[in-house]
Amino acid sequence: MKYGLLSGITWGIDTVILGVACALYPFLGAEQTALASAFMHDVAAALILFVFMGARGRLGDTLAAFKTRSGRVVMLAALLGGPVGMSGYLLAINNIGAGYTAAISAFYPAVGAMLAMLILKERMAPRQLVALLVALLGVVAMGWSSTGAETAINPLLGIFGALLCVFGWGSEAVILAWGMRDDLVDNETALQIRETTSALTYGLVVIPFVHAYGLVFQASFTLANAIIVLAALAGTASYLFYYKGIDLIGASRCMALNISYVAWAVIFGAFTGVIPSAFEILCCVVIMVGTVLSATPDWSDFGLKKVAESTD
């Protein structure tokens, strides 16, 4: 369970640091900021992993894994979780606002849990599913409270983008878990395949399509890019924990723990001067408790034996 929780903590750090970078020149106010920064983030992560795997003499393992069926499965997961899921997320933000997008996209672990039950035959006790639902409602409440005066530009297109994000992120972990059943594709080689595939797809398809290379080049030698690299370090650590967690405890439980990043981002955001409200703190507590309980098969470890028995 610790790997899933660490993936949420480090992704929360990544989120906060990336937000700082996007508030600097030349990203601030630019239309292509989200996609350009996502591309630069994935390129940095791919390079970090190249150095990481090279230093351990494992680049040959990744090249061998690329040629296997399982390696191609991981590439598919990379496309769904990276360009597809992220593009849907950004499409939703642009059309229905960040608050509503966060509220809808928060349900990706629920979709992932259902897919894991159908494809991987993973099982979660009823009480765990209830705890997951409570955590997701905490995320929805936090996202909904941040909508403010946001105006929907194209609600149908925005909802389609949010659902695309939910499907992309929810299916990524399940497909990855299936791909990592092959001994030739462990969690580290899977992650290098994922980040390399995502970076190449952004660079060859997404960024040219939205004409964002001008912004990418403009940002390459600025403080913002240095901060993106720092975010990528946290993001790479997060994915290493996430993939390790999927391998050890399964896709559904690890996704439930990973969604805690929403609460961690609020907590770490306070260090940048963004002080959470009392309602946001309450939502954080709900999310934390819900995610931990949803990933714990035996609640008696927390002294909740009677509750566990009554909900099964």
Side-chain angles (χ1 to χ4, degrees), residues 13 60 63 67 82 93 103 177 181-182 194 208 229 236 276 284 294:
I13 295 172
L63 289 175
K67 302 174 184 178
I93 288 176
R181 287 179 172 180
D182 190 335
R194 192 265 188 215
V229 173
T236 302
C284 286
S294 66

Side-chain angles (χ1 to χ4, degrees), residues 44-60:
L47 292 175
I48 291 168
L49 283 165
F50 183 85
V51 174
F52 174 74
M53 296 294 278
R56 302 177 66 207
R58 298 207 57 203
L59 291 177

